[in-house]
Amino acid sequence: MKETAATFIAKRTVRAADKEHRRKINFNIGKYNAVVPQGKQQFADLNLAREKAKNIKWRAIEKLDRYLEEFESNISRRGAKVIWAENAEQALDEIGKICAAKNCKTLVKSKSMVTEEIHLNDFLKKNGIESIETDLGEYIQQLDDEPPYHIVTPAMHKSKEDVAKLFADKLGTDSKATPEQLTLTARRILREKYVQAEIGVTGANFIIADIGAIAVTENEGNARLSCAWPETHIVIVGIEKMIPSLIDLSLFLPLLATYGTGQRLTVYNTIVAGPKQENETDGPDEMYVILLDNGRTNILANEKTRESLYCIRCGACLNACPVYKNIGGHSYGTPYSGPIGSVITPHLKQMDEWKHLSYASSLCGNCTEVCAVKINLHELLLENRYESVNSANSSLAERMAWKMWKQGMLHRKLMNTGSSRMKNWIVNKLLKGWKKHRSEIEFPQKSFNQLWKEKHPGS
Ligand code: SF4
């Protein structure tokens, strides 16, 4: 078994038995579930809105090469520098060069899963640069030296008491401080950092081709401060975040807000189309946009899984997933957790190392049901399983087991072969892995065909 799979199994086993963890997650997801229906009411025809969003993303991804060039040419005209990064190393190398040129000592950054993907904070720390997370949830996680737990709600697994204790330990605040008092403490500390920072880093929720801009959506105003206050703004964004036109935001912003947090619209929505222009008083002197591939073109090349690039990272599939709610975000061992993480991670990294995530699903289809852009997530999980079994790296035992199962399912005679005792022995004793977390299977004495004949003698 690969180390990634062994770690996953160890972590998920501990988490699944942690009732306190489950209580906190159920509490926080319960709050999400209570507000999402209110957000949905803003759509006259929600189903049509989701279909339309899927179609727009389909168009953007099918013509991604063209739209990326259009974006580059439009934003470059306003003075932004576009950098194409094939992988994490190239992206970090470019960021390192910019930091060195600006003599950067302090960098503020807003929430961005792509920066988690390329391990930006570790890289900056190694290079002696202080990197401060300015999103409150991310700031909490950074104080606790933990990666984000959820793609939208980084500290979802923490209660307000946990956060008060953490602030007391790390910042010396009162351990009984209220959420308002804790927020004000974080605000005071972060405000000073915005002033000190030479560079601000943000992700982007959308890249807009026709006007050459990026759109960032958030609730705290920290992303806006991160990109506007320091003299240099670096955007790191996955190439799949493309939408063809500014007009498309009128659909995607409310859709993302509703499915992400149950809001009609997120509080701050910022469109950045370049650095400070002549006659403008605010904004950074320089802006860099790093367009990151890092495995996304592998997904693009695969006609079946290409659909996963439509994802707008709303997090709804995580909140709906019974597996995620049991094992939690950290068990996955990757920034992208839950159903969408299980679909894309084996392609972004390596199928052989990460295929186990595609099996972390009951295939109930709840993820597909709730997806803001109607991605057929459970079918893509099945597709991953198919690819992993057919790959040269799958074990002979695994291939044999699936072949036998397929033959049994296709041929009734084979299915009826053998006594129930023999079948019980095969499943409960021979296939030990099956039984590890399940009760024993008891096959009936008579086969379905025998029972049918007894009930319908003439048939
Ligand atoms: S796959 Fe769908 S539900 Fe999951 S995060 Fe992406 S857009 Fe949201």
Side-chain angles (χ1 to χ4, degrees), residues 18-28 159 161:
D18 183 345
K19 289 195 177 142
E20 182 55 13
H21 166 259
R22 199 175 305 180
R23 186 192 66 75
K24 287 172 192 163
I25 293 307
N26 283 342
F27 177 77
N28 285 324
S159 64
E161 290 78 19

Side-chain angles (χ1 to χ4, degrees), residues 44 65 77 145 169 205 403 430 433:
D65 51 344
R77 221 174 296 137
D145 203 16
D169 290 349
N205 294 93
K403 267 205 176 113
L430 194 64

Side-chain angles (χ1 to χ4, degrees), residues 71 75 78 80 202-203 206 208 211-216 223-224 227-228 233 235 269-276 283-284 287 289:
F71 165 79
I75 200 164
R78 290 176 63 87
T202 69
F206 302 100
I208 311 164
I211 59 162
I214 59 126
V216 180
R224 188 175 281 186
C227 67
H233 176 203
V235 183
N269 295 287
T270 308
I271 297 170
V272 187
K276 183 167 65 187
M287 179 183 179
V289 182

